[in-house]
Amino acid sequence: MHPFRKAVEDRDPDALEALLAEDVVFTSPVAFAPYPGRAMTAAILRGVMRVFEDFTYVREIANPDGRDHALVFTATVAGKQIQGCDFLHFDEDGKIDDLTVMVRPLSAARALSEAMGAQFDRIAREAAGA
């Protein structure tokens, strides 16, 4: 099992943050601009853990060189079933330097956007306090 998957499934925010490069870039499925930096990415991931229910990874896909990984998941957000994928890229030190998330269907993406929007003040405070 991939360490990122284990940290997510264990709901371990400290283990997740330890896997992130300082200059990681997080690309959200519901925001136009990417979010740079470990503190912000870790705070977003904690927010996601608060809004997703019944989160389960259903498939892992890895590049043979180990620098790219995709984790397909299902979850519920605000009563909507969501399917998505976490795309991870690793730097030379084995830290995640790029994390892109994609989700479907549109109704669930909208529910995710609303749920994360409600979390964003807390996310910003957590990131600023890191």
Side-chain angles (χ1 to χ4, degrees):
M1 177 182 299
H2 192 275
F4 182 86
R5 177 179 181 169
K6 180 166 179 28
V8 170
E9 289 181 344
D10 289 349
R11 302 183 64 78
D12 186 343
D14 295 331
L16 272 174
E17 189 166 355
L19 297 169
L20 303 174
E22 190 64 40
D23 62 349
V24 64
V25 174
F26 176 79
T27 304
S28 165
V30 295
F32 177 75
Y35 296 97
R38 178 188 294 152
M40 179 56 86
T41 301
I44 290 169
L45 292 173
R46 287 190 298 273
V48 169
M49 284 193 274
R50 290 188 294 267
V51 302
F52 275 162
E53 300 171 23
D54 305 318
F55 185 92
T56 305
Y57 280 118
V58 295
R59 186 176 318 138
E60 261 184 75
I61 305 163
N63 184 311
D65 72 4
R67 300 274 311 263
D68 291 286
H69 215 82
L71 296 161
V72 180
F73 64 84
T74 61
T76 304
V77 64
K80 302 276 186 189
Q81 285 291 105
I82 195 165
Q83 180 183 37
C85 190
D86 294 333
F87 295 96
L88 312 173
H89 182 269
F90 298 88
D91 65 15
E92 299 81 24
D93 298 322
K95 298 284 187 178
I96 299 167
D97 62 2
D98 187 80
L99 170 54
T100 298
V101 180
M102 294 186 183
V103 297
R104 64 163 305 280
L106 181 58
S107 61
R110 285 184 179 134
L112 176 61
S113 179
E114 290 173 13
M116 289 302 291
Q119 292 279 320
F120 212 79
D121 285 345
R122 179 176 177 181
I123 289 168
R125 285 192 309 272
E126 288 179 7

